Amino acid sequence: MRRHKVILVISVLIPLAIYSDTRFQGPFAVLAKADRLAMLYNWPEATPLYLQAESLFKQSGDLKNGLAAKLGYIWSTADSGVNASNRREIAAHLLDPVINSDPQVRLRALIAKAVLDRNENERAASGPWKEILDLATKLDDKRWEARAKAEIGQILYLDGNITSAAAMLRDAIVSQYLQLDFGAAIHYTAMVGNGFVETGQPEAGLRYCDIVLKASHLVPDLGFPFLAYQGKARALLALHRTDDAKAVLDFALKRAQKRRIISHWLNY
């Protein structure tokens, strides 16, 4: 009888130990999972976890980490449109001496501001990205240091400073691969592929986007590689391979539908 009870208890505990459902995790674990998914540009899965983490922190009275989760939520939803109330909230947070005294929380606030600014006006985000670069360097946060360099490189490209932009983007992407920041490495490599297409080098753009699309299948939980599909289709169109471009877009739409992110895809 006793043996049967032990077996019953074990049979209950093992699934709980291996089950990854965040209902069985504390707020720090939920926030860490949301951050991991967000770093992989997996916004659809990161967003509800940020909301869950914020709620759990608030329930426990942990306002600082609740704010960290809220800032993550703003970051993960920024691509869906610029929210004026979010912009005002971030501006207020960045003037708060309590937040400014904690460099990790300030970094999160700056990231949220940068992505909101970027989605409204690419060049307007230059200031926040430079602040992120400085703060990430002080914190020895190599991932955000490289991401900030990549964003600044993109702005330099838009300003016509092609040589500096190419050097900064190249260094940033190499660092991202070395730091195993595959979400950023894939995103910015696809961005470079699109850049080649825009500058009349569709063959190079096609090669970059093909590399990214192959790599995207090897990274678990990676967000949908919109930029890579977009760049590949644009490159094929520039090469007058219209049927191939249509096939790429059809495949991408089917893949997006399968992952239930078709509305996000259509925004691109």
Side-chain angles (χ1 to χ4, degrees):
M1 183 70 176
R2 193 176 196 180
R3 184 182 174 190
H4 288 305
K5 286 184 178 179
V6 172
I7 292 173
L8 178 61
V9 170
I10 291 174
S11 68
V12 171
L13 289 178
I14 287 178
L16 291 180
I18 64 174
Y19 190 41
S20 63
D21 192 315
T22 53
R23 289 174 296 177
F24 299 100
Q25 298 176 359
F28 287 102
V30 177
L31 180 57
K33 185 174 182 180
D35 283 342
R36 182 180 68 81
L37 291 166
M39 292 293 276
L40 289 166
Y41 293 81
N42 191 339
W43 311 125
E45 292 189 41
T47 299
L49 291 177
Y50 278 126
L51 286 175
Q52 184 182 354
E54 181 186 8
S55 176
L56 290 171
F57 280 124
K58 283 183 176 179
Q59 289 172 27
S60 65
D62 188 340
L63 298 182
K64 187 182 82 169
N65 283 301
L67 174 59
K70 176 64 181 296
L71 293 170
Y73 172 79
I74 293 173
W75 169 35
S76 69
T77 57
D79 282 345
S80 61
V82 178
N83 185 310
S85 64
N86 283 344
R87 290 177 63 85
R88 289 193 295 270
E89 182 179 354
I90 295 299
H93 287 321
L94 287 171
L95 294 174
D96 188 333
V98 175
I99 289 176
N100 288 326
S101 67
D102 188 322
Q104 294 290 351
V105 178
R106 179 168 174 79
L107 180 62
R108 283 180 175 267
L110 285 170
I111 291 164
K113 175 174 173 53
V115 294
L116 288 172
D117 286 353
R118 180 187 64 196
N119 289 341
E120 188 171 60
N121 184 328
E122 198 95 41
R123 291 180 176 84
S126 177
W129 283 119
K130 288 177 181 176
E131 286 191 68
I132 290 168
L133 176 58
D134 290 342
L135 185 53
T137 302
K138 290 176 184 175
L139 293 171
D140 197 31
D141 188 332
K142 299 297 185 184
R143 291 190 170 193
W144 275 109
E145 186 179 334
R147 285 174 179 238
K149 285 181 179 179
E151 291 289 340
I152 294 169
Q154 184 185 9
I155 294 168
L156 289 171
Y157 174 81
L158 292 174
D159 287 339
N161 194 340
I162 307 300
T163 302
S164 296
M168 188 165 277
L169 273 168
R170 181 179 60 250
D171 291 347
I173 292 171
V174 168
S175 177
Q176 286 159 4
Y177 280 110
L178 291 174
Q179 298 298 322
L180 306 183
D181 188 3
F182 294 122
I186 287 173
H187 176 80
Y188 291 108
T189 301
M191 185 182 291
V192 170
N194 276 270
F196 275 121
V197 177
E198 288 180 9
T199 56
Q201 302 175 73
E203 296 91 349
L206 185 59
R207 285 197 300 273
Y208 272 77
C209 291
D210 274 335
I211 289 170
V212 166
L213 289 171
K214 289 176 182 176
S216 70
H217 292 284
L218 304 176
V219 182
D221 297 323
L222 183 73
F224 193 81
F226 298 104
L227 276 178
Y229 280 118
Q230 179 190 67
K232 182 170 183 175
R234 291 174 64 202
L236 290 168
L237 285 172
L239 293 167
H240 308 292
R241 294 167 57 182
T242 307
D243 289 343
D244 289 338
K246 183 178 183 301
V248 167
L249 291 176
D250 287 343
F251 178 81
L253 287 169
K254 287 177 183 176
R255 190 178 171 195
Q257 285 174 327
K258 188 175 180 180
R259 292 182 59 174
R260 299 180 181 178
I261 51 175
I262 187 64
S263 60
H264 196 168
W265 164 258
L266 291 174
N267 285 332
Y268 274 69

